[in-house]
Amino acid sequence: MNGKTLYTVIIFSENTVGLLNQITIIFTRRQLNIETLSVSPSAIKGIHKFTITTFADKDTIDKVVKQIDKRVDILKAYYNTDEDLVYQEIALYKVSTELFMKMNGVEELIRKYNTRVLEMNESCIVLEKSGHYEETQELFDELSHSIGVLQFIRSGRIAITKSKVERLSDMLSAMEKRLDIKPEER
Amino acid sequence: MDKQKITGSDALLKTLIAEGVETIFGYPGGQIMPFYDRLYDYQKEIKHVLVRHEQGATHAAQGYARVSGKVGVCVVTSGPGATNTITGIADAMMDSTPIVVISGQVPAPMLGTDAFQEIDVIGITQPITKWAYQIRKPEEIVWAVSRAFYIASTGRPGPVMLDFAKNAQIGLVDYTYQKVTTVRSYQPFPTIEPGHIAAAAELINSAKRPFALVGQGVILSGAEKELFAFLEKGDIPAGSTALGLSAMPSDYRLNKGLLGMHGNIGPNRKTNECDVLIAIGMRFDDRVTGNLQTYAKQAKIIHFDIDLSEIGKNVPVDIPVAGDAKETLAAVTERLIAADHSAWINSFAAHEEEEMEKVIQKEAYPEEGALRMGEVVGKVSVAVDHDAVLVTDVGQNQMMGIRYFNYRRTRSVVTSGGLGTMGFGLPAAIGAKFGAPARTVCLFTGDGGLQMTLQELGTIMQEKIDLKMVVLNNAFLGMVRQWQELFFHERYSSTVMENPDFAAIAGAYGIKSRTVDKREELDDAIAEMLHHDGAYLLVVNVETHGMVYPMVPAGGTITDMIMDEK
């Protein structure tokens, strides 16, 4: 991606309607493509967590994250590169039962990729694998070449930072402190 | 205790009153009719100004907010009523103007069905508002409206959109007003870093040639006194952005004038000579900086701003000073050592003389030839003793307005800066007069911009608004014509205007008017306008090929200014 780095943007927000739109329009203005996106409730009730990956240069991602952080309904936004994160994706693979049964080395394959079988019926088998993009892709490539993949889906990245505390808890306690002192008394 | 339930429309009106709203600008229509019906019983508490187009309502709310410091409010109907507000909302977003726009919406059960006059207002306005919210239930009204005022007016101000479903206007609700004073996810005033305050003071104390850039942030923060104390103690000359004008009086010794594309020579050249550049509540817009690659490269830069996303956005900053300028300026001033930079300050004089000779003399004090725009603005400013509110449209009239009008008090300039909205002037002037009824409000507009929102003359007629309107008529879209002359080989593509008789139009609205072509008549006509009790439209037919100088071409180096060579 011509000198661009893959950044993981982590956003904590209120759970309100239309928030995703508020975030994506900021990416759009800077012509940034969202590579992966994952949204789910966070550890704190009522607060949602967005994990977004995008290729960008440092200057651009810095400005984009500041713009996101500034939105009224966003509690906190920050960005990291892969070195700072533990991250994971999950992938599901649907293959033909008939071909899978005939395939040599099923046990080897399942062990090698640490794969699980989620569903098995007369027509198809669903395998699951979690890992980094390259790992889920490797299994996809191997299955494609041997027996073919009927359906494939990969989730967006989820990530946590390697540092000890989740920054949000620090921020929330600071915020609650602040709420006692009315900020607009002037 | 038994409480009487009231309608959502009553709850909205009561909340508006509780938030201190006295004036709203609006236009009724199908999906906002329940509100307008209830408004009929609140005429003593709330003045409703019926505009002629919803865009006018937003600009009027902006003008009101800019001069009064209060939140401007407009109310419109759904669909086209709401879409007509988009330009004003975008303008308010760019220029940090606190307004709350309330649009009617189809009843909640009909949302998403392409009902008559339904439009996705939230989707459309999210990129151009600080906050956009759809009220679907009457129970949400007090919370949403109070929150809207809190968000619009705090931190870096801006527009808020409230989309008000019809069922919520009609439905009954228990009303208890509760002011919103905090929003968990919103920190309007960033924490002030003592380290940055100390570092900024230290750098300024070490400066030999400090120069300050004053933006609208000073006015929005109410930090004019703190700015004065800061500049005085540090003995720091200052330039002003277009929106920062009137934060300092025009005749203040340290006020060195306007920055940017059509700014004064001194402050532009000194930007590239100073050793410490101190930006206060401004955002290094390209119209101020010109080419960033050659902008203030020699200087250490300190940036005071309340909006963290502005710091370092366009110009790399050595010392960021995040926070409300009122507090941060005071804190830095406390640590300043009283300085004397008189040699540096006096060095501006040569540039002022050069500009007087090469530009101002010809523009403001011509002795022959057609009337000039700068001349007209300057004479009006003198006639009002430099103490009126200046409202401009966009283009040459705007640049001439802000170059040649003078100020004594803060909040005396209303102009469309960031968005550059033609048609802004007339409705904004209406709002400004409601926001500062005791002050003289002078509008300078062009023949092009006036015709974009000309219908608001009807509002002026109906409300009997005492506005002094000056049309600088050059029968061209003058600023575009200027660019065509300078950069497009004098190919005047679609800029010639065949204009109506503006005086006759004013006459049709019952507005007194006069048209002036000759220099001998100008003083008398200005005096007549100012002494007339009520609205007055002065049409001045000026030099058709008038140019605004000096000029830094777009993307050019800020010191490379084109002068009037003729």
Side-chain angles (χ1 to χ4, degrees):
Chain A
M1 288 292 289
N2 22 341
K4 289 185 175 173
T5 310
L6 182 69
Y7 287 98
T8 302
V9 179
I10 296 173
I11 302 163
F12 291 96
S13 81
E14 298 290 354
N15 181 21
T16 52
V17 176
L19 243 165
L20 182 58
N21 187 41
Q22 292 190 46
I23 294 168
T24 55
I25 52 185
I26 295 169
F27 280 85
T28 307
R29 273 188 81 181
R30 292 279 185 170
Q31 288 282 300
L32 292 182
N33 228 348
I34 290 175
E35 296 295 319
T36 71
L37 165 71
S38 166
V39 190
S40 58
S42 75
I44 300 154
K45 198 170 176 247
I47 294 177
H48 266 51
K49 185 170 178 173
F50 292 71
T51 310
I52 300 173
T53 60
T54 186
F55 283 100
D57 56 60
K58 176 137 174 62
D59 187 50
T60 306
I61 199 71
D62 196 62
K63 286 169 187 172
V64 161
V65 169
K66 277 183 182 170
Q67 293 284 348
I68 293 170
D69 198 32
K70 173 175 153 179
R71 297 298 304 177
V72 166
D73 295 314
I74 304 288
L75 288 130
K76 189 70 203 160
Y78 52 90
Y79 64 93
N80 290 103
T81 49
D82 290 353
E83 308 86 79
D84 307 329
L85 297 169
V86 176
Y87 57 96
Q88 198 71 306
E89 290 172 2
I90 187 165
L92 301 178
Y93 312 72
K94 190 196 281 181
V95 293
S96 149
T97 306
E98 194 193 337
L99 297 175
F100 193 68
M101 303 295 257
K102 287 183 192 161
M103 191 174 98
N104 288 326
V106 167
E107 186 195 342
E108 193 191 350
L109 180 110
I110 291 195
R111 282 185 189 284
K112 179 178 166 196
Y113 289 103
N114 202 14
T115 306
R116 295 204 298 156
V117 176
L118 288 185
E119 161 72 7
M120 186 188 267
N121 58 39
E122 283 175 5
S123 62
C124 66
I125 290 171
V126 177
L127 304 173
E128 177 213 293
K129 166 160 185 60
S130 54
H132 288 180
Y133 178 92
E134 300 73 21
E135 296 169 318
T136 55
Q137 186 63 34
E138 202 182 320
L139 175 57
F140 176 82
D141 291 342
E142 181 159 347
L143 287 170
S144 300
H145 289 131
S146 51
I147 56 170
V149 177
L150 300 173
Q151 262 185 53
F152 172 69
I153 182 74
R154 179 191 283 123
S155 74
R157 167 184 287 196
I158 54 169
I160 49 179
T161 52
K162 287 178 183 169
S163 62
K164 208 166 58 185
V165 232
E166 184 161 51
R167 275 172 266 183
L168 183 69
S169 43
D170 284 353
M171 205 200 59
L172 270 181
S173 58
M175 213 160 51
E176 265 141 36
K177 229 197 230 165
R178 207 185 73 232
L179 293 186
D180 291 332
I181 327 149
K182 301 270 156 39
E184 65 358 317
E185 278 173 7
R186 55 167 199 153
Chain B
M1 199 175 77
D2 231 20
K3 272 215 298 201
Q4 191 79 35
K5 290 200 177 218
I6 60 172
T7 71
S9 300
D10 284 283
L12 173 60
L13 283 154
K14 284 180 188 297
T15 311
L16 290 176
I17 293 164
E19 291 290 335
V21 175
E22 293 165 351
T23 310
I24 57 182
F25 303 91
Y27 204 102
Q31 302 299 351
I32 195 71
M33 281 186 68
F35 168 81
Y36 270 87
D37 181 63
R38 295 307 306 135
L39 175 65
Y40 202 60
D41 291 336
Y42 289 82
Q43 292 178 55
K44 279 196 188 122
E45 292 98 329
I46 290 189
K47 164 78 185 164
H48 178 269
V49 179
L50 175 65
V51 296
R52 293 300 183 267
H53 185 285
E54 290 88 350
Q55 183 188 349
T58 55
H59 295 327
Q62 289 181 275
Y64 178 88
R66 293 270 285 270
V67 299
S68 70
K70 293 172 65 179
V71 177
V73 181
C74 25
V75 180
V76 300
T77 193
S78 66
T83 54
N84 281 344
T85 65
I86 300 304
T87 304
I89 295 171
D91 194 288
M93 187 70 170
M94 288 286 258
D95 285 353
S96 313
T97 309
I99 63 170
V100 171
V101 179
I102 299 164
S103 64
Q105 181 56 283
V106 301
M110 293 175 80
L111 284 164
T113 66
D114 297 325
F116 178 64
Q117 295 191 330
E118 184 201 352
I119 199 79
D120 176 11
V121 170
I122 301 301
I124 293 173
T125 58
Q126 262 179 348
I128 52 167
T129 51
K130 253 184 110 173
W131 189 54
Y133 188 76
Q134 187 170 60
I135 302 173
R136 295 182 177 208
K137 293 182 292 203
E139 292 75 24
E140 296 174 308
I141 292 170
V142 173
W143 170 82
V145 174
S146 185
R147 200 176 197 255
F149 277 82
Y150 174 66
I151 291 169
S153 61
T154 50
R156 179 177 177 182
V160 171
M161 184 86 200
L162 291 175
D163 193 27
F164 195 16
K166 193 174 188 178
N167 59 296
Q169 299 171 37
I170 298 165
L172 296 175
V173 63
D174 285 328
Y175 174 81
T176 313
Y177 173 68
Q178 203 176 359
K179 193 170 176 62
V180 171
T181 53
T182 48
V183 171
R184 179 172 70 170
S185 54
Y186 168 61
Q187 191 177 354
F189 304 105
T191 317
I192 296 171
E193 297 279 347
H196 291 162
I197 298 284
E202 195 182 327
L203 182 56
I204 295 167
N205 283 334
S206 73
K208 299 276 181 290
R209 299 180 309 280
F211 183 48
L213 312 176
V214 174
Q216 192 193 198
V218 170
I219 297 170
L220 292 170
S221 154
E224 293 89 348
K225 280 194 184 124
E226 287 75 10
L227 174 70
F228 178 78
F230 171 78
L231 297 177
E232 278 297 310
K233 193 169 179 188
D235 204 31
I236 303 164
S240 179
T241 68
L243 296 192
L245 287 172
S246 83
M248 302 176 280
S250 304
D251 61 0
Y252 176 42
R253 71 175 181 99
L254 294 172
N255 182 354
K256 297 301 171 194
L258 180 67
L259 296 161
M261 183 176 273
H262 293 290
N264 296 112
I265 300 176
N268 279 341
R269 287 199 185 141
K270 294 298 180 181
T271 298
N272 279 6
E273 285 175 31
C274 65
D275 59 355
V276 177
L277 190 67
I278 308 148
I280 309 163
M282 56 83 73
R283 59 185 178 84
F284 292 104
D285 181 81
D286 56 271
R287 280 335 194 222
V288 165
T289 64
N291 183 357
L292 287 170
Q293 306 309 318
T294 56
Y295 182 78
K297 288 295 172 197
Q298 80 296 341
K300 292 268 188 208
I301 297 179
I302 303 172
H303 191 179
F304 290 73
D305 213 290
I306 200 163
D307 180 352
L308 299 177
S309 73
E310 287 299 345
I311 296 175
K313 185 182 79 175
N314 292 341
V315 171
V317 168
D318 295 287
I319 300 174
V321 185
D324 187 343
K326 199 175 173 67
E327 290 172 50
T328 52
L329 275 175
V332 171
T333 305
E334 212 170 273
R335 286 168 177 77
L336 287 189
I337 300 162
D340 177 357
H341 296 297
S342 39
W344 162 241
I345 292 164
N346 292 339
S347 71
F348 281 75
H351 301 290
E352 284 161 15
E353 281 159 29
E354 181 185 343
E355 185 170 343
M356 177 59 79
E357 183 200 333
K358 288 187 178 164
V359 177
I360 300 172
Q361 193 67 42
K362 297 179 210 177
E363 184 60 43
Y365 310 104
E367 281 163 12
E368 49 182 29
L371 283 164
R372 308 284 291 239
M373 291 178 273
E375 168 183 22
V376 179
V377 173
K379 285 195 173 220
V380 173
S381 187
V382 169
V384 294
D385 196 25
H386 310 304
D387 197 19
V389 174
L390 167 75
V391 184
T392 78
D393 206 79
V394 162
Q396 288 185 320
N397 65 84
Q398 175 183 34
M399 291 302 120
M400 289 298 188
I402 61 176
R403 278 184 58 82
Y404 293 102
F405 211 78
N406 287 313
Y407 323 97
R408 293 188 194 279
R409 285 189 253 181
T410 189
R411 293 192 177 274
S412 292
V413 182
V414 180
T415 192
S416 168
L419 198 66
T421 306
M422 275 178 75
F424 174 85
L426 184 61
I430 291 171
K433 186 66 188 177
F434 278 100
R439 300 190 66 186
T440 302
V441 176
C442 292
L443 166 71
F444 290 92
T445 184
D447 43 310
L450 176 64
Q451 292 184 77
M452 281 199 177
T453 46
L454 184 69
Q455 73 285 347
E456 299 306 335
L457 289 175
T459 311
I460 294 170
M461 172 176 69
Q462 184 163 353
E463 295 291 341
K464 301 182 176 50
I465 303 165
D466 183 5
L467 277 186
K468 308 306 176 193
M469 299 169 278
V470 182
V471 187
L472 300 171
N473 178 17
N474 55 10
F476 266 107
L477 296 176
M479 189 56 93
V480 181
R481 199 209 66 81
Q482 171 163 347
W483 283 48
Q484 287 170 335
E485 180 176 328
L486 293 172
F487 313 120
F488 291 89
H489 309 290
E490 301 181 40
R491 287 153 56 87
Y492 299 122
S493 177
S494 302
T495 44
V496 181
M497 294 282 275
E498 190 171 322
N499 284 322
D501 179 348
F502 291 114
I505 289 175
Y509 283 100
I511 294 169
K512 193 157 169 57
S513 185
R514 179 167 167 183
T515 305
V516 171
D517 302 277
K518 296 196 179 70
R519 186 156 287 114
E520 307 84 77
E521 298 166 15
L522 185 59
D523 286 328
D524 182 60
I526 291 170
E528 183 183 312
M529 170 176 79
L530 294 172
H531 290 126
H532 177 68
D533 184 17
Y536 193 105
L537 185 82
L538 176 61
V539 184
V540 186
N541 294 328
V542 296
E543 165 63 50
T544 53
H545 285 48
M547 306 281 277
V548 186
Y549 290 117
M551 179 177 190
V552 181
T557 293
I558 199 67
T559 50
D560 295 343
M561 281 166 286
I562 308 173
M563 303 291 174
D564 189 355
E565 304 296 346
K566 286 173 193 163

